[in-house]
Amino acid sequence: MRRVICAAVLVIGIALAGCSSSTSTADSVPPATEPGLTLPDAAPEPAKADADTLAAVQSALDGAPAGCDPLDTTRCLLPFPSNLFTVHDSDANTLRRVAFPADGMPKNSSGVGIDPAEWNRNDGFSPNTPILVHLPHLDAAASRLPSWTDIGSSLEPDATVVLIDADTQERVPLWAELDAHATRDADRLLTIRPAAALPEGHTFVVALRGMVDTSGKPIEPSPAFRVYRDSLATGIDAIEQRRAAMENDFAILADAGIEPHDLQIAWDFTVASERNISERMLHIRDIALGQLGDAAPAYRVTSLTLGPQRGVFLQIAGTFDVPNFLTGDGSPGHGFNYAAFTSTNPDELPTQNATNPIIQAPFVCNMPVADVISPEPAHLVIYGHGLLGSHDEVSAGNVQDFANEHDIIFCATDWTGFEDADTLFVAQVLADFSNFPVFIDRQHQGILNMLFLGRLMKHASGFASNAAFQIGGESMIDGSDVFYDGNSQGGILGGVLAAFSQDATRFSLGVPGMNYSTLLYRSSDFLDFEALLTNRYPKATDRNLVQAIAQTIWDRTDPNGHVQHQLSDPYANTPAKKILYQVAYGDHQVAPVTVEVAARTNGAYIHKPVLLGTKDVPEVTPYYGIPEIPSYPFDGSAMVVWDAGNPAPPLSDWYPAEINVGDPGYDSLASCAQTHHG
């Protein structure tokens, strides 16, 4: 089941209240000697700003909490992300540490601001961050915003939205869109989305020019930006301390042929390091598997059931032991177990819980009838369930048909942290986003559980040695390899597992995606959760910021943070993988556009023709930047698009309004289960 509507989401009590406004005075730009900040040649002494400009700049500073950005006074953390919200830290890989101001974080309807403590442990921002800014009454068409249907236009010399890698001087392909969920212009943010994941640790410069409002007039830059662009001295410390960084951005833009006098706003940000994004998962994986050594995980079979579903000869269920890195018993609401306060050591890593050192994770394995009548042992496949579901999904009819057709034993466990038991806590997160880091912590444990299941399936002393998996004393398991197959949420989280698995090397990801900050508004599954989020964070600007800052932590368990290490440049002690992305055209639950971002990033190919017949594909260059599979057989990674009859997805950040089939993912995958591409 891909869509879960839980009554718990609808019965949480919610009181409407106002949200905070924003902007500030403190400037925390690191010294000019840091990476990505090379000062240009000395510029002429700036002219003095006039009295009206000075008053406007000072008003922007005075009207916001300390630490906010006067370049965009709509909300404190705008424009987002920005290196203004970092401080120098010589212990960080990027030499930066995020420093979100507590008073400037979005507040819910009860007036409770998000606690920035966990966010401020990061050394940068997401590799696929939404880039947010507010431009009043922006006319998207007149401003020639590049759409996801014409990504190539973002690299044209006269493009109005520009993103430049300051480390390489290269332009970044992107698309830009106005928030279709906002009901007022004052709350409608412009979102710029990189079309490929940004390299970790690099610094980027954002620039907007040619922005036009709905009356046809050029949008005026804010007074704070104008004093930088026009080299106007202010004598205001909070402004002048940032001038060197802004001059550096202007120099980078000028080298790319973008002159400062054309700009309406520009700023820079740094992407978090590889270590920062991956170290928690690598740390608990290496400790846990290190404890196993050459042994299989401990497990116990608790039930054997003959033929409970079509095509199943024997269902084997039980539990297996996994080291617990969460507090308490590891149930929903429990985050990472730390030995000391993280505020005193931002790079501290979780430790195994001494009081409750082991979690007993459930498993179920289905031995198909085909395995009993086949002369060969069955292949082993880990199955990943859908949105807030459970391991029981492995017994769905389509999975069992697949198992029998290809002699496969599917085994499954729950995606701890994103299973049905977590639904109530998801509601609590949406009511107060200070809870969000705990939600992500528990997902790490779920990935670890999956890694242990894979080891148990493949190890000779694991399932293969158990009589339940044998007939006449002979094992029914081919333990030479183990594979992964997951759909929807299982297709998404399977991309994370691919980055960390030491046992499975081939992954079939059905109706997959990545980058939840892009996916959520494009999914019909999010409707009920969005209602709760809207009640607690009534302003659309705050909801956009909540999703954007969430991504900087979500990257830890979102393939968005690990896609650069799946097919090549794998993490230490981890093999490179091969991935088959099975995409449903017009999917209204997991947006296919995010799979395109994944393929552009990791180098996956695409099967062409993508669609047969005369279906209107809206892209100017369909599947821009993704190479075609050169020939078959093809032993590599690729995406294959399946068409179940749905129309093209909308151009905006919305799910398709017209849906011709109930579930395009499963209708498409029903046929692809019988097809193999590499």
Side-chain angles (χ1 to χ4, degrees):
M1 179 173 60
R2 302 182 68 204
R3 186 165 189 251
V4 174
I5 306 290
C6 183
V9 175
L10 304 177
V11 300
I12 296 289
I14 7 182
L16 291 175
C19 289
S20 64
S21 64
S22 37
T23 30
S24 107
T25 57
D27 193 319
S28 48
V29 176
T33 54
E34 293 184 25
L37 190 57
T38 304
L39 291 180
D41 295 336
E45 189 71 23
K48 181 75 173 177
D50 62 73
D52 288 345
T53 299
L54 287 173
V57 171
Q58 191 62 58
S59 175
L61 293 168
D62 293 342
C68 301
D69 194 338
L71 294 186
D72 183 350
T73 59
T74 310
R75 272 294 189 261
C76 178
L77 298 185
L78 295 175
F80 182 92
S82 173
N83 278 340
L84 182 75
F85 304 116
T86 65
V87 294
H88 177 71
D89 188 339
S90 58
D91 292 330
N93 284 45
T94 63
L95 300 181
R96 296 181 184 271
R97 190 73 65 180
V98 171
F100 288 144
D103 290 342
M105 297 292 279
K107 292 182 172 62
N108 65 15
S109 55
S110 298
V112 178
I114 298 172
D115 181 356
E118 184 63 32
W119 279 269
N120 290 349
R121 299 179 65 199
N122 288 334
D123 65 4
F125 303 95
S126 171
N128 234 281
T129 181
I131 301 167
L132 305 176
V133 66
H134 182 256
L135 298 172
H137 306 290
L138 176 64
D139 186 320
S143 301
R144 297 188 296 115
L145 297 183
S147 167
W148 68 265
T149 62
D150 191 12
I151 287 170
S153 68
S154 69
L155 301 179
E156 294 294 330
D158 64 345
T160 56
V161 183
V162 176
L163 184 61
I164 296 179
D165 186 331
D167 294 61
T168 66
Q169 307 300 312
E170 294 178 352
R171 294 269 295 273
V172 177
L174 56 87
W175 78 91
E177 56 197 14
L178 288 171
D179 177 15
H181 297 249
T183 57
R184 302 187 315 145
D185 178 76
D187 294 330
R188 183 171 291 111
L189 297 184
L190 171 64
T191 303
I192 302 163
R193 300 190 187 276
L198 306 175
E200 300 116 321
H202 286 215
T203 294
F204 294 83
V205 180
V206 189
L208 301 181
R209 56 184 176 172
M211 299 290 108
V212 178
D213 66 20
T214 50
S215 70
K217 297 179 180 178
I219 294 175
E220 290 295 320
S222 67
F225 180 73
R226 190 160 52 83
V227 299
Y228 294 125
R229 184 196 68 178
D230 298 345
S231 297
L232 302 176
T234 64
I236 302 171
D237 287 346
I239 296 296
E240 299 306 322
Q241 289 168 4
R242 190 181 188 181
R243 189 174 294 276
M246 295 297 291
E247 291 289 347
N248 183 69
D249 291 346
F250 295 149
I252 291 169
L253 293 169
D255 286 344
I258 301 163
E259 296 302 324
H261 60 76
D262 292 331
L263 299 175
Q264 287 148 308
I265 191 169
W267 73 96
D268 58 53
F269 67 90
T270 298
V271 174
S273 67
E274 174 188 325
R275 178 181 74 120
N276 182 86
I277 297 170
S278 64
E279 64 180 345
R280 293 161 183 81
M281 192 62 237
L282 287 171
H283 176 72
I284 67 172
R285 180 199 74 174
D286 292 347
I287 288 178
L289 292 178
Q291 290 177 6
L292 282 182
D294 294 330
Y299 73 101
R300 58 215 56 84
V301 173
T302 57
S303 70
L304 299 173
T305 308
L306 284 170
Q309 293 92 23
R310 69 186 190 199
V312 175
F313 170 70
L314 181 66
Q315 185 174 85
I316 306 155
T319 61
F320 60 100
D321 293 351
V322 188
N324 177 22
F325 289 88
L326 304 175
T327 59
D329 61 0
S331 59
H334 289 91
F336 270 143
N337 183 65
Y338 289 104
F341 293 109
T342 59
S343 59
T344 62
N345 179 10
D347 293 323
E348 184 185 1
L349 296 173
T351 60
Q352 188 173 356
N353 188 320
T355 305
N356 297 287
I358 298 297
I359 286 176
Q360 290 191 355
F363 76 83
V364 61
C365 296
N366 286 331
M367 184 183 296
V369 172
D371 194 23
V372 181
I373 62 177
S374 171
E376 301 295 332
H379 299 295
L380 292 172
V381 177
I382 307 165
Y383 184 78
H385 64 72
L387 177 63
L388 292 168
S390 76
H391 61 280
D392 292 337
E393 188 182 301
V394 73
S395 296
N398 62 317
V399 180
Q400 290 315 310
D401 290 344
F402 189 10
N404 259 304
E405 289 163 11
H406 300 283
D407 193 12
I408 292 170
I409 293 178
F410 276 99
C411 295
T413 188
D414 295 330
W415 279 116
T416 296
F418 229 147
E419 58 174 301
D420 53 3
D422 292 284
T423 306
L424 181 59
F425 189 69
V426 169
Q428 295 172 16
V429 169
L430 294 173
D432 180 359
F433 242 75
S434 294
N435 294 314
F436 183 75
V438 172
F439 175 56
I440 300 304
D441 288 352
R442 207 169 106 85
Q443 290 178 27
H444 285 79
Q445 184 70 47
I447 295 165
L448 184 62
N449 294 357
M450 283 283 184
L451 292 173
F452 263 54
L453 177 61
R455 180 64 55 88
L456 185 57
M457 293 168 69
K458 187 175 182 180
H459 199 286
S461 299
F463 291 155
S465 66
N466 192 288
F469 293 87
Q470 300 174 354
I471 294 181
E474 294 292 326
S475 174
M476 304 304 292
I477 287 177
D478 176 1
S480 61
D481 210 340
V482 61
F483 306 90
Y484 176 88
D485 177 48
N487 293 315
S488 195
Q489 180 184 283
I492 297 170
L493 294 180
V496 187
L497 189 68
F500 294 99
S501 176
Q502 295 178 328
D503 294 311
T505 57
R506 288 180 179 258
F507 286 71
S508 173
L509 307 182
V511 284
M514 69 174 198
N515 194 347
Y516 277 95
S517 59
T518 300
L519 288 173
L520 292 181
Y521 273 167
R522 285 176 154 84
S523 174
S524 59
D525 285 343
F526 190 59
L527 285 174
D528 298 295
F529 300 110
E530 184 181 5
L532 176 56
L533 183 65
T534 300
N535 258 333
R536 294 300 278 170
Y537 296 90
K539 289 189 178 296
T541 46
D542 285 337
R543 294 195 297 276
N544 275 276
L545 279 167
V546 161
Q547 293 183 57
I549 64 174
Q551 194 61 58
T552 65
I553 288 181
W554 214 329
D555 282 341
R556 302 170 188 174
T557 58
D558 184 327
N560 183 72
H562 310 287
V563 65
Q564 302 180 71
H565 305 284
Q566 294 169 334
L567 312 186
S568 61
D569 190 24
Y571 293 133
N573 303 312
T574 310
K577 307 303 191 298
K578 291 181 180 177
I579 294 177
L580 174 62
Y581 294 111
Q582 303 189 66
V583 182
Y585 188 77
D587 193 340
H588 56 86
Q589 294 174 297
V590 182
V593 69
T594 64
V595 187
E596 296 181 40
V597 176
R600 283 190 208 99
T601 303
N602 64 19
Y605 288 71
I606 190 168
H607 172 77
K608 289 187 177 179
V610 178
L611 299 175
L612 298 177
T614 59
K615 182 181 287 289
D616 181 26
V617 178
E619 288 107 318
V620 173
T621 303
Y623 302 94
Y624 175 88
I626 304 173
E628 178 181 357
I629 294 174
S631 63
Y632 288 101
F634 178 68
D635 187 19
S637 295
M639 62 182 291
V640 178
V641 180
W642 298 85
D643 182 11
N646 265 356
L651 302 185
S652 65
D653 60 339
W654 206 278
Y655 64 90
E658 181 184 350
I659 300 170
N660 293 340
V661 294
D663 191 327
Y666 283 160
D667 283 12
S668 296
L669 294 176
S671 58
C672 80
Q674 303 174 27
T675 308
H676 293 276
H677 297 275

